[in-house]
Amino acid sequence: MTSDTHVPCRKPGSTDASAIPGPPPAPRRAGGPVGGLVGFNAAPPAEAVALLLSCCHSLRWAERVAAHRPYPTVDALLAAADEAGYDLSRADLDGALAAESSALPHPGAPPAARTALRAAHAAYESSFGHAFVISLDGVRPGERLDQVLAGIRSRLGNEPEEERVIAAEELRRLARARLAFRLAEGLTPRRSEA
């Protein structure tokens, strides 16, 4: 997975000026990074679930994927993550979407683009009750802002149930991309250090 597979996000109303490029940081385990699939398969259940929750905030999804370890290959793990994403209940999907947040433009974006993106996100959130989610897998960094704006504008006209299906698919794609990134980087969530 490359850094252009996902849009970092902010909660509505936040003044954080983070940029669109790059996946969100994942916390590291206190004892150092655990490598990829081997580390994921060997991690204690709570750590595996915590890593998965950093990819998609659905406890049911995370517990289901973690419960089927060990996975023989990364592809098998990603396929299981996809399958679990298709089985989310309405409440699980609502919770996962509620945990997502709207993307900010690159700090160097023109003021007009920043204003347009803020307005588009506000309109989307007002219409559908959750942040706009989109996977930017394969989209070049210079095209991300346009892709997000175009996506919001095209999806604003959807009926709520139609948009729910699209948002669920985008969330599955984001979860898959985030998980692949974390495995490739050998990252696992950090335990609280007291």
Side-chain angles (χ1 to χ4, degrees), residues 172-193:
R172 279 188 292 276
R173 291 178 63 209
L174 277 173
R176 179 185 178 95
R178 290 168 179 166
L179 180 54
F181 175 79
R182 291 196 181 25
L183 291 172
E185 295 298 310
L187 301 175
T188 60
R190 174 181 293 196
R191 293 182 180 185
S192 316
E193 295 180 42

Side-chain angles (χ1 to χ4, degrees), residues 90-184:
R90 185 174 191 90
D92 292 328
L93 180 58
D94 287 344
L97 288 171
E100 294 293 325
S101 50
S102 302
L104 288 172
H106 187 278
R114 297 173 69 79
T115 299
L117 187 60
R118 278 193 299 275
H121 278 302
Y124 182 92
E125 290 168 13
S126 175
S127 292
F128 299 110
H130 59 80
F132 177 74
V133 291
I134 188 170
S135 173
L136 296 175
D137 193 16
V139 177
R140 294 188 310 218
E143 298 172 356
R144 291 181 186 146
L145 178 60
D146 289 339
Q147 188 75 22
V148 171
L149 281 170
I152 292 172
R153 289 176 181 148
S154 71
R155 289 166 53 185
L156 269 172
N158 292 342
E159 292 297 320
E161 283 306 309
E162 178 185 15
E163 180 56 24
R164 181 179 188 73
V165 170
I166 294 168
E169 178 59 28
E170 291 295 326
L171 186 65
R172 279 188 292 276
R173 291 178 63 209
L174 277 173
R176 179 185 178 95
R178 290 168 179 166
L179 180 54
F181 175 79
R182 291 196 181 25
L183 291 172

